[in-house]
């Protein structure tokens, strides 16, 4: 029986390797066609059949300021003034989410670092109290993290704390202020024995998880080249490839961003929100989400057309928010697209 199993596995591996080789030899137009059919088409069918699109992720930029100057990020050249979201506006946004029965993830960042927001734990605690079943996601560079604010963030109800350590060091070296937070706060509130999986440490990551909380510390190259974010990334090279196969995008069907002055953006790639979909000061999030601007954009994307929108036509993101490859052809398409049109390395855990 073991011999038969080994033969079957060998055959499957060789068949997969042969298919991958044949796919790699296809001309570019054929690979694009397969990508549209295998990846975009099933998503388009799903979203066409669901007229009530569910908001799963909202990005709240509570302050238009970051305390770092990473060369790959628009925050290093942000032309906007340093502006903080009024607490009254924030309360309204949270109430709007309550009215929408939102049960997804609130991300407390866009181009900013949330730890530089004055009294940030108060904002977090309010959202946690009003939306207890929502995942509250804090992404930071860790420069402003200390024992006091770290404890306050955890006590306020942070679900996920993700820290990107930007460095040219080839291995992850946890900075002293973050190590103090681990020793004096995290492991006091969540003892090591409370973890749901063993602590994972390697040259790039430190991961700690319990049933109710997750911590990710990741080493990130300071001079890395990430997504162009629609031409706003300072160090992204000029795109010369034909991007015409990028028609559909899932982001506006699941995401929304709100910046400090209430302007609402299409998705997480809408970094500076130059052409807002609405304003949370004057409209409810429900009105904006189901409003004419979003609906027009979604209708064009379901026609496999990004070019109808002045903003989206410049975007090189694959537009796959929650998609994972399931079939062999989808895996081949994903592998090829990652080489042909590299996407940013992940900052979040799925």
């Amino acid at each position: 029986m073991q011999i038969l199993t080994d033969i079957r596995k060998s055959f499957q591996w060789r068949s997969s390797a042969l298919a991958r080789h044949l796919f790699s030899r296809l001309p570019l137009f054929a690979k694009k066609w397969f990508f549209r059919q295998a990846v975009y088409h099933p998503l388009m069918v799903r979203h066409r059949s669901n007229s009530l699109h569910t908001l799963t992720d909202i990005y709240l930029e509570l302050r238009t300021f970051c305390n770092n100057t990473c060369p790959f990020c628009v925050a290093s050249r942000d032309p906007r003034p340093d502006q903080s979201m009024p607490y009254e506006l924030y309360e309204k946004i949270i109430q709007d989410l309550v009215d929408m029965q939102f049960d997804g993830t609130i991300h407390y960042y866009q181009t900013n670092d949330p730890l530089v927001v004055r009294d940030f734990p108060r904002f977090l605690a309010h959202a946690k109290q009003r939306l207890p079943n929502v995942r509250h996601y804090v992404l930071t560079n860790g420069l402003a993290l200390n024992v006091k604010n770290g404890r306050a963030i955890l006590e306020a109800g942070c679900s996920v704390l993700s820290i990107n350590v930007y460095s040219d060091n080839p291995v992850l070296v946890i900075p002293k202020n973050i190590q103090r937070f681990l020793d004096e706060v995290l492991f006091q509130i969540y003892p090591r024995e409370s973890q749901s999986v063993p602590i994972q440490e390697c040259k790039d990551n430190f991961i700690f998880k319990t049933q109710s909380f997750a911590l990710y510390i990741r080493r990130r190259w300071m001079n890395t080249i990430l997504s162009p974010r629609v031409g706003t990334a300072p160090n992204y090279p000029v795109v010369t490839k034909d991007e015409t196969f990028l028609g559909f995008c899932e982001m506006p069907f699941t995401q929304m961003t709100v910046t400090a002055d209430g302007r609402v953006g299409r998705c997480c790639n809408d970094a500076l929100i130059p052409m807002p979909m609405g304003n949370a000061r004057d409209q409810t999030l429900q009105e904006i989400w189901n409003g004419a601007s979003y609906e027009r954009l979604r209708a064009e994307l379901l026609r496999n057309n990004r070019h109808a929108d002045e903003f989206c036509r410049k975007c090189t993101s694959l537009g796959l928010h929650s998609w994972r490859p399931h079939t062999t052809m989808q895996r081949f398409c994903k592998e090829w697209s990652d080489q042909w049109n590299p996407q940013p390395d992940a900052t979040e855990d799925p």
Side-chain angles (χ1 to χ4, degrees):
M1 290 297 295
Q2 183 61 43
I3 294 176
L4 291 176
T5 301
D6 292 342
I7 292 174
R8 188 184 306 113
K9 288 182 178 179
S10 176
F11 176 77
Q12 290 173 345
W13 181 85
R14 291 176 185 276
S15 299
S16 178
L18 176 61
R20 180 177 283 105
H21 173 72
L22 293 175
F23 183 84
S24 69
R25 301 297 298 272
L26 290 174
L28 181 59
F29 77 89
K31 291 176 180 175
K32 290 182 178 182
W33 186 88
F34 276 113
F35 187 95
R36 285 194 296 267
Q37 296 301 312
V39 179
Y40 281 158
H41 182 68
L43 292 172
M44 293 167 69
V45 170
R46 188 180 79 190
H47 286 293
R48 281 196 191 104
S49 64
N50 182 14
S51 59
L52 298 176
H53 307 294
T54 302
L55 176 66
T56 62
D57 293 77
I58 185 166
Y59 294 76
L60 300 181
E61 188 174 45
L62 303 180
R63 182 181 176 187
T64 57
F65 174 77
C66 183
N67 55 347
N68 209 348
T69 55
C70 302
F72 56 80
C73 183
V74 63
S76 63
R77 299 181 183 179
D78 194 337
R80 300 172 299 173
D82 182 0
Q83 183 177 8
S84 295
M85 180 180 289
Y87 193 74
E88 295 75 18
L89 174 58
Y90 177 77
E91 287 182 308
K92 176 193 174 297
I93 291 171
I94 298 301
Q95 181 60 51
D96 287 349
L97 292 174
V98 172
D99 294 340
M100 293 175 70
Q101 299 182 333
F102 178 76
D103 61 356
T105 300
I106 299 178
H107 306 256
Y108 296 89
Y109 56 90
Q110 174 64 350
T111 62
N112 64 317
D113 191 289
L115 298 192
V116 301
V117 176
R118 183 177 181 181
D119 206 11
F120 172 63
R122 179 191 178 203
F123 286 80
L124 182 57
H126 176 71
K128 180 67 175 179
Q129 189 271 324
R130 298 302 313 280
L131 295 162
N133 298 321
V134 163
R135 191 167 76 145
H136 300 268
Y137 201 115
V138 177
L139 174 65
T140 173
N141 56 38
L143 295 178
L145 181 65
N146 55 51
V147 169
K148 181 179 179 180
N149 65 13
R151 184 182 301 278
I153 289 168
L154 296 190
E155 293 176 347
C158 176
S159 308
V160 181
L161 178 60
S162 184
I163 305 172
N164 288 336
V165 176
Y166 296 100
S167 169
D168 293 325
N169 197 316
V171 297
L172 172 64
V173 177
I174 298 179
K176 291 181 179 179
N177 65 311
I178 298 177
Q179 189 62 56
R180 279 197 64 195
F181 162 74
L182 295 179
D183 296 335
E184 299 181 27
V185 178
L186 181 72
F187 296 137
Q188 301 302 316
I189 296 178
Y190 300 106
R192 290 175 181 265
E193 59 269 18
S194 70
Q195 62 193 339
S196 56
V197 296
I199 291 178
Q200 301 174 42
E201 292 185 71
C202 65
K203 71 173 186 177
D204 294 317
N205 298 302
F206 177 95
I207 301 175
F208 175 88
K209 289 184 178 181
T210 70
Q211 294 296 329
S212 59
F213 173 78
L215 168 75
Y216 305 98
I217 305 177
R218 296 182 172 91
R219 179 193 61 78
R220 301 284 295 277
W221 291 109
M222 176 59 77
N223 292 311
T224 190
I225 296 177
L226 300 182
S227 166
R229 299 195 82 175
V230 197
T232 60
N235 71 342
Y236 195 88
V238 175
V239 177
T240 58
K241 301 192 224 46
D242 174 20
E243 304 286 355
T244 55
F245 88 103
L246 295 171
F248 177 73
C249 175
E250 192 180 21
M251 304 298 194
F253 294 85
T254 60
Q255 292 186 359
M256 171 186 284
T257 63
V258 187
T259 191
D261 62 3
R263 285 176 300 127
V264 174
R266 294 158 178 75
C267 68
C268 60
N269 284 308
D270 198 351
L272 302 179
I273 315 182
M275 294 170 279
M277 309 297 277
N279 196 303
R281 290 179 181 271
D282 312 315
Q283 304 163 273
T284 67
L285 295 185
Q286 183 82 60
E287 290 171 341
I288 298 171
W289 184 247
N290 295 325
S293 296
Y294 260 116
E295 288 304 306
R296 279 195 302 269
L297 174 59
R298 292 176 186 134
E300 292 298 336
L301 293 175
L302 287 174
R303 296 186 184 99
N304 215 39
N305 179 24
R306 292 190 189 186
H307 293 276
D309 186 88
E310 184 179 348
F311 178 85
C312 295
R313 74 177 62 152
K314 306 172 187 175
C315 184
T316 61
S317 168
L318 294 177
L320 304 174
H321 175 218
S322 57
W323 179 84
R324 296 290 184 275
H326 298 293
T327 68
T328 300
M329 180 56 70
Q330 287 179 345
R331 286 194 293 273
F332 292 166
C333 288
K334 184 66 167 63
E335 290 170 5
W336 163 71
S337 65
D338 287 342
Q339 297 172 3
W340 186 78
N341 184 15
Q343 301 299 295
D345 50 332
T347 59
E348 302 179 16
D349 191 71

